[in-house]
Amino acid sequence: MSEIIVYGSEYGTTERYAIELANRMNIKAFSYKTVKDLSIYDTIIYLGGLYAGGILGLSKTVKLIPANSKKTLILITVGLADVKDPTNTDNIKSSIQKQIPKEIYDSSKIFHLRGGIDYQKLSFKHRTLMSLLYKKVKKIPLESQTAETKAMIDTYNQKVYFVDLESLNEIIKNIS
């Protein structure tokens, strides 16, 4: 069976997971920006950073999967949200459903990892978006804030790093 790891990473956290996973599974990893053809692979493992509700590079990558092919897509998201909170993972899955065709979503295996953020390294665009989001969620009454919202408020404009490379072990166990 031929396998490939493809990743979408803006600031390096997802790329770090992808490279570590590639090393552990002895598979090559490539940025979605460089992949042109997925037809020769049976299994595509896609790691994508979560940005504003979307998964970086996922739509472009899925378009490279031939229609009606019996490829296996393993999708791994990387974001700030606590992946042990079902509300967060439900929101992520809802976002995925908007990005890929139903038949691909229904046959995919989906996993979630926690990433990180360093506000000092964000592009002007991302810094501006995060500032607007922060101002919006800060207005939400405390009793109506979700755990994700509270975490965002508490960590705004800081460096936050939740990367746990050992969490890849559970994914490897479930996809091997």
Side-chain angles (χ1 to χ4, degrees):
M1 175 171 22
S2 58
E3 302 170 311
I4 186 173
I5 294 174
V6 182
Y7 62 89
S9 183
E10 185 75 28
Y11 297 102
T13 305
T14 304
E15 180 179 19
R16 181 154 188 232
Y17 274 122
I19 290 170
E20 181 65 24
L21 184 62
N23 288 337
R24 291 182 186 195
M25 295 184 72
N26 199 27
I27 302 171
K28 291 186 178 185
F30 301 91
S31 168
Y32 80 97
K33 295 175 184 176
T34 64
V35 175
K36 305 292 183 226
D37 180 21
L38 293 173
S39 63
I40 63 170
Y41 300 99
D42 298 315
T43 301
I44 298 120
I45 302 171
Y46 189 84
L47 287 85
L50 295 166
Y51 297 97
I55 300 164
L56 183 64
L58 178 61
S59 295
K60 180 181 179 201
T61 302
V62 167
K63 287 177 184 173
L64 297 175
I65 299 173
N68 300 320
S69 65
K70 297 295 181 194
K71 308 244 180 244
T72 300
L73 176 64
I74 298 165
L75 181 55
I76 305 168
T77 66
V78 180
L80 289 177
D82 182 356
V83 297
K84 293 183 173 120
D85 182 337
T87 303
N88 293 337
T89 55
D90 288 347
N91 289 338
I92 295 167
K93 287 177 183 175
S94 176
S95 176
I96 295 168
Q97 288 175 317
K98 294 174 187 170
Q99 284 190 274
I100 63 176
K102 183 180 179 355
E103 62 276 3
I104 293 177
Y105 177 85
D106 289 344
S107 65
S108 298
K109 293 181 182 179
I110 301 172
F111 302 92
H112 310 286
L113 297 169
R114 290 195 82 183
I117 190 169
D118 183 348
Y119 283 84
Q120 304 307 311
K121 292 184 179 180
L122 295 181
S123 68
F124 176 75
K125 174 185 167 187
H126 286 148
R127 213 173 21 256
T128 302
L129 288 171
M130 290 303 292
S131 175
L132 293 171
L133 181 60
Y134 172 75
K135 289 173 185 173
K136 180 181 176 183
V137 299
K138 195 146 170 74
K139 293 178 184 176
I140 299 172
L142 189 60
E143 63 275 2
S144 299
Q145 292 178 7
T146 64
E148 185 177 9
T149 305
K150 288 176 185 172
M152 189 216 166
I153 292 168
D154 291 344
T155 61
Y156 178 71
N157 220 17
Q158 297 178 31
K159 183 177 182 178
V160 181
Y161 196 72
F162 297 113
V163 172
D164 176 13
L165 296 177
E166 293 310 306
S167 61
L168 291 171
N169 293 335
E170 189 65 25
I171 293 172
I172 293 168
K173 186 170 79 175
N174 282 291
I175 63 176
S176 297

